[in-house]
Amino acid sequence: MASEITYAEVKFKNASPAAVAEAPPEKKNEHHPQKYPLCLPWLISLLLFLVCIALIIVFLVTPFSRGRAHPTALQQKFMEWQCVSRVLPGKVESWTCCPKGWRRFQEKCYYLSNDLMSWAESEQNCTGMGSHLVVINSKAEQDFLFEELRKSSKIGVNYYIGLHAQVVGQWHWLDGTPLSETAAFWRAGEPSNVDHEMCVVIHTKEVSHNNWNDVICKDHNRICQAEAVTV
């Protein structure tokens, strides 16, 4: 007799269903803001400060607009300057500068000496500073020098100007220009026009603005003059 095969379905309790492989969750493309160093604002502030310092040096100290590539003799001799602001119609602001301790009038600078030299030594001294003995071309300039000498704390008696003669009575400025009678400021009774008085000074003891005197070319104070520097 043939045997019978019986099939049965069997269920086991607590059996877990077949594991399902799960793919890992997709990572979201998160955007993180870029972080800057905390010292960045300080670096920017330092940079701006350095730029300001550079501009001050550029506009107020070093570069004189007249011949930066070819500085004047006056610029080469002095490191400290005093400047005043000037604004001309239709132009940008500029500065007119003289060496520290010099006096300024219009576009010129003046040095009043405290020591004594002969006329020739005085001119040599002025030249060595990039200037020359003063040449007075107007009453306004003469009045300015008169007042400056009165205000000077170390005033001398006589100050050489750039007027002299090689022939008695024939007065010429340093550049060879003859003296104009409309811009001559002699003391009363001067010039003496004698052969031993061939140089001219401003005599500070004179109360009048007409205070020139011809003298022997020996030791006196001096007034040097130079063109102001424009920045």
Side-chain angles (χ1 to χ4, degrees):
M1 175 176 174
S3 60
E4 294 181 3
I5 300 174
T6 303
Y7 296 91
E9 292 183 2
V10 180
K11 293 182 179 182
F12 298 94
K13 292 183 179 181
N14 300 325
S16 56
V20 179
E22 295 183 359
E26 295 183 2
K27 292 184 178 180
K28 296 182 179 179
N29 186 17
E30 297 180 356
H31 177 73
H32 297 284
Q34 185 177 359
K35 294 183 179 180
Y36 295 97
L38 295 177
C39 62
L40 183 62
W42 293 99
L43 292 175
I44 295 175
S45 299
L46 178 61
L47 178 61
L48 292 175
F49 175 75
L50 294 176
V51 169
C52 291
I53 294 297
L55 290 175
I56 291 173
I57 294 174
V58 167
F59 288 105
L60 295 181
V61 180
T62 314
F64 294 112
S65 60
R66 284 189 189 175
R68 179 173 171 79
H70 303 284
T72 65
L74 193 70
Q75 290 173 247
Q76 295 175 357
K77 297 295 181 180
F78 296 93
M79 297 298 294
E80 295 185 80
W81 296 77
Q82 294 174 320
C83 303
V84 295
S85 176
R86 181 182 62 167
V87 180
L88 297 177
K91 295 186 178 181
V92 297
E93 182 181 16
S94 63
W95 296 79
T96 301
C97 303
C98 289
K100 186 176 181 180
W102 290 47
R103 322 295 173 93
R104 185 189 62 84
F105 177 69
Q106 295 178 352
E107 304 302 316
K108 292 184 172 60
C109 306
Y110 301 83
Y111 169 75
L112 312 181
S113 81
N114 295 324
D115 57 337
L116 306 178
M117 293 182 178
S118 68
W119 193 90
E121 290 171 333
S122 294
E123 174 55 16
Q124 185 177 8
N125 177 263
C126 291
T127 301
M129 294 191 293
S131 60
H132 54 78
L133 283 173
V134 63
V135 175
I136 301 172
N137 293 311
S138 67
K139 184 178 184 301
E141 190 174 17
Q142 168 70 13
D143 292 346
F144 164 77
L145 292 173
F146 178 85
E147 296 298 333
E148 287 299 312
L149 287 169
R150 287 183 60 188
K151 293 188 298 185
S152 177
S153 60
K154 297 181 180 179
I155 191 168
V157 177
N158 293 317
Y159 284 76
Y160 276 126
I161 63 177
L163 188 65
H164 67 141
Q166 293 181 337
V167 177
V168 174
Q170 296 182 17
W171 300 103
H172 289 76
W173 293 107
L174 288 168
D175 59 3
T177 305
L179 174 65
S180 171
E181 293 302 322
T182 60
F185 306 97
W186 297 105
R187 296 174 64 195
E190 299 294 342
S192 304
N193 286 330
V194 293
D195 59 6
H196 60 281
E197 295 184 354
M198 306 293 275
C199 296
V200 178
V201 296
I202 287 178
H203 183 68
T204 60
K205 300 301 182 181
E206 179 63 59
V207 296
S208 168
H209 286 214
N210 292 339
N211 56 7
W212 293 2
N213 190 30
D214 56 343
V215 296
I216 299 173
C217 302
K218 291 189 177 180
D219 291 351
H220 296 292
N221 295 93
R222 64 198 171 278
I223 303 176
C224 301
Q225 179 190 63
E227 293 292 327
V229 174
T230 301
V231 177

